[in-house]
Amino acid sequence: MHDLVRLYAGQRARQDLPTDEIDGARRRLVEHSAHTAHAADLLIAPLHASIDLSDLPYGCQPLKLGGGEEAWAWFEAERANLIAVQNLAVENDWHAQVWQLAWAMTTFQLRQGHFHDNLSAWKAGARASHHLDNSELRTRSYRHLGRACTQLELYEDALTHLREGLAGAERDGDELGQAHTHRAIADAWGRQGNDAMALEHATHALHLYEERGVEVSGAHALNDVGWYTAKLGDHGLAQQICEDALAWPRRTGNRSGEARAGLSLGYVAWLSAKSQEAAENLEFALGLYEELGDTSGQANALDHLGTVHEDGDPAKAESCWRRAVAIYREQGRSAEVDRIANRLGALGARGGGRFDR
């Protein structure tokens, strides 16, 4: 719609329609968006937890999406509108819908590398959670807010939010929430280079998942344990752990979990000077990330493939890094762009590779 047409339509609506009709239309728009986004999220990530939604107002009909591809296309077309709708919900103090939209957008935002938008959504979601009579939602909010900060290297803020979420889960006796939050804390420590602290939290998360028989998240935690074990130098044990971590998601059809485990196995092989095996595992992970539409994961896999090929096949390393940097640039990940640009500039010198997760 042309800007002037939109402005005119808005002015006429405010002049000609009663306030309750305008409010009703806005409420239907917000509920339509929250319900459709939640359904779309479960289509692109079937193992993502479902949440309770509000009752639909009269006349509100969410879209019926036919499958994962249609859901993904809908997110791509409507992402900016969903952000605007969440802001509308914030302005009207519709706290439940603010939180629901933050949750429903998370998978798509992270896979596409929209980290700043994800942070904004969860800042709003965390504020909204304090108006809801549900302590578990507050725990989830601070976990996701902390993760969003970690993605943008805001580590002090990340750990503050994650510790608050962990404390809430402990007060409520929410062991599953504790496990999820320990995993998020492990990631925050690991990205700062404190692999020992990361391994401690990842191991704690794994034990909690095992006690509850939570296989999907347990596989992610097992992979994390393998990753940090490798970072700390025990490559043989890390290989065994990551192979087990790959077997778990294969049983459940968790393609994202398979991709993460493939990435870890590639890392372990690279550390063990097995370049061919490393490349094969990373190509496997890259293929899965492409299937999932996870451009963030694709960039990471390409980044690592460049490291593997740096010494043996500089031309292939350059190709991988150029593809990675194009995605990083599109996603606004300036630190990664600068890092890869420096490595491309120094490629002729054959410097030692650095394998960052």
Side-chain angles (χ1 to χ4, degrees), residues 72-86 105 108-110 112-118:
W72 191 266
W74 181 82
F75 268 125
E76 287 183 322
E78 300 295 335
R79 189 180 72 85
N81 290 329
L82 289 171
I83 293 170
V85 168
Q86 191 196 34
M105 289 190 289
F108 180 80
Q109 300 261 53
L110 293 182
Q112 289 287 287
H114 300 302
F115 299 138
H116 291 279
D117 290 335
N118 185 57

Side-chain angles (χ1 to χ4, degrees), residues 277-323:
E277 183 178 331
E280 290 172 357
N281 281 305
L282 291 169
E283 291 283 2
F284 166 75
L286 176 61
L288 290 175
Y289 283 131
E290 289 172 345
E291 286 181 24
L292 292 165
D294 187 339
T295 57
S296 181
Q298 290 172 44
N300 292 335
L302 287 165
D303 189 347
H304 304 339
L305 272 168
T307 298
V308 169
H309 292 302
E310 184 176 13
D311 291 330
D313 191 342
K316 194 162 188 177
E318 180 180 1
S319 175
C320 290
W321 279 340
R322 289 198 182 280
R323 290 171 62 192

Side-chain angles (χ1 to χ4, degrees), residues 84-162:
V85 168
Q86 191 196 34
N87 290 335
L88 175 63
V90 170
E91 292 168 6
N92 286 273
D93 294 331
W94 294 334
H95 305 298
Q97 291 73 24
V98 171
W99 194 93
Q100 292 160 13
L101 284 162
W103 177 269
M105 289 190 289
T106 298
T107 300
F108 180 80
Q109 300 261 53
L110 293 182
R111 287 186 183 178
Q112 289 287 287
H114 300 302
F115 299 138
H116 291 279
D117 290 335
N118 185 57
L119 175 60
S120 296
W122 276 111
K123 282 182 177 179
R127 288 193 299 268
S129 72
H130 285 276
H131 298 276
L132 304 174
D133 187 22
N134 190 323
S135 58
E136 182 183 351
L137 295 190
R138 287 193 291 277
T139 298
R140 291 189 189 184
S141 297
Y142 282 106
R143 180 169 68 249
H144 281 283
L145 180 55
R147 284 175 169 166
C149 289
T150 297
Q151 291 284 356
L152 293 169
E153 301 182 3
L154 304 172
Y155 298 125
E156 184 175 349
D157 290 342
L159 287 169
T160 296
H161 297 314
L162 292 169

Side-chain angles (χ1 to χ4, degrees), residues 19 24 27 32 37 40 48 52 112 161 174 199 203 207 225 248 262 266 269 273 318 356:
T19 301
R27 172 69 79 166
H32 167 91
H48 198 198
D52 293 330
Q112 289 287 287
H161 297 314
D174 177 7
L199 179 59
T203 302
H207 290 161
V225 169
W248 286 22
E318 180 180 1
D356 293 328

